[in-house]
Amino acid sequence: MQALFLEDIIQPLAAILAGGIIGAEREYRSKSAGLRTITLICVGATIFTMLSIRIGIGNPDRIASNIVTGIGFLGAGVIFKEENRVSGLTTAAIIWSSAAIGMAIGSAHYLLAALGVFIIVGVMRIFLWLQVKIDTIHQSRNYRIACRFDKTTLEHYEKIFRRFQLEMERGKQSVKDGIIIGEWELQGREKDHALCVDYLLKDTDIIEIVF
């Protein structure tokens, strides 16, 4: 029977603490991979790394090297494509990073793991604030407008986009049952987007608008 050493207890507990800190931030923001998920990923990576070092005689990275591959599949499961938008990339990156923290703990690199936790939480908090600031200056949105068919109708809305200083890239356009549908990717300040949307919502000729 294998003896249990003090470090055998310290490492999983350290993984619980590290995963809990990262997971708590995700749980606070109601993300799909929250407190329990991130903690379990960190603990699992830690134990796998410990086992890899102990039973991988002559090749101690035998098990640990496959953690990255396995976590890749888990991370891919939280990435979704919704119309023209991809979501879940940040959550997948957090899962991948949490596994790296667990591997650092499992190989007894505690300072590196602590630094990693500090950086991950710092990036999620500080960079979120920075991202919000950037979005107020420059924001990209996809617009979709449906209205009764008229040859100049969509050009009319493109003039409105320019009036609100929004850079425009025309996308797919289609006509069905007398209804013309246009899609655009618009870039500009958050304030200009809000003013443009407010103007379009008052347009009685628009049957449907998605923004």
Side-chain angles (χ1 to χ4, degrees):
M1 184 175 180
Q2 182 69 40
L4 192 65
F5 300 99
L6 179 61
E7 196 168 33
D8 295 334
I9 300 173
I10 292 176
Q11 288 177 316
L13 291 178
I16 292 172
L17 177 61
I21 292 172
I22 298 172
E25 198 279 339
R26 304 304 289 169
E27 191 73 33
Y28 178 77
R29 301 189 182 281
S30 301
K31 300 300 181 179
S32 55
L35 180 61
R36 291 180 298 176
T37 303
I38 297 299
T39 301
L40 288 173
I41 288 170
C42 197
V43 172
T46 295
I47 294 175
F48 271 126
T49 303
M50 292 169 64
L51 290 173
S52 183
I53 293 172
R54 295 182 186 185
I55 67 178
I57 300 173
N59 190 13
D61 62 346
R62 183 177 59 182
I63 297 175
S65 62
N66 291 299
I67 295 175
V68 178
T69 304
I71 287 298
F73 283 105
L74 186 60
V78 299
I79 300 175
F80 299 95
K81 185 176 181 180
E82 303 170 353
E83 295 183 354
N84 295 324
R85 182 180 179 184
V86 177
S87 61
L89 289 174
T90 300
T91 300
I94 293 298
I95 289 174
W96 183 62
S97 300
S98 299
I101 298 298
M103 293 179 70
I105 294 172
S107 56
H109 291 89
Y110 300 113
L111 290 178
L112 180 60
L115 178 62
V117 171
F118 177 79
I119 292 174
I120 291 170
V121 175
V123 166
M124 289 191 294
R125 300 290 295 182
I126 298 174
F127 279 43
L128 177 62
W129 173 84
L130 183 60
Q131 181 180 338
V132 171
K133 291 296 182 182
I134 292 174
D135 282 344
T136 61
I137 301 171
H138 185 82
Q139 191 175 91
S140 179
R141 290 188 188 180
N142 293 314
Y143 284 63
R144 182 173 180 268
I145 295 176
C147 56
R148 294 176 185 84
F149 178 68
D150 189 296
K151 291 183 178 179
T152 60
T153 298
L154 295 183
E155 292 181 2
H156 166 70
Y157 292 115
E158 290 178 355
K159 290 178 181 178
I160 293 175
F161 298 150
R162 296 189 189 99
R163 187 191 310 170
F164 287 98
Q165 301 178 352
L166 295 173
E167 297 179 10
M168 177 191 65
E169 183 176 339
R170 182 184 292 185
K172 183 175 65 176
Q173 297 185 357
S174 60
V175 179
K176 184 179 181 181
D177 298 328
I179 303 298
I180 187 167
I181 301 172
E183 297 180 1
W184 299 268
E185 181 180 349
L186 302 180
Q187 298 181 1
R189 296 184 303 173
E190 184 179 38
K191 179 181 178 181
D192 294 331
H193 279 290
L195 291 172
C196 183
V197 168
D198 184 61
Y199 184 88
L200 292 173
L201 289 174
K202 297 175 183 177
D203 191 329
T204 55
D205 291 331
I206 295 178
I207 298 173
E208 180 188 44
I209 177 171
V210 179
F211 53 88

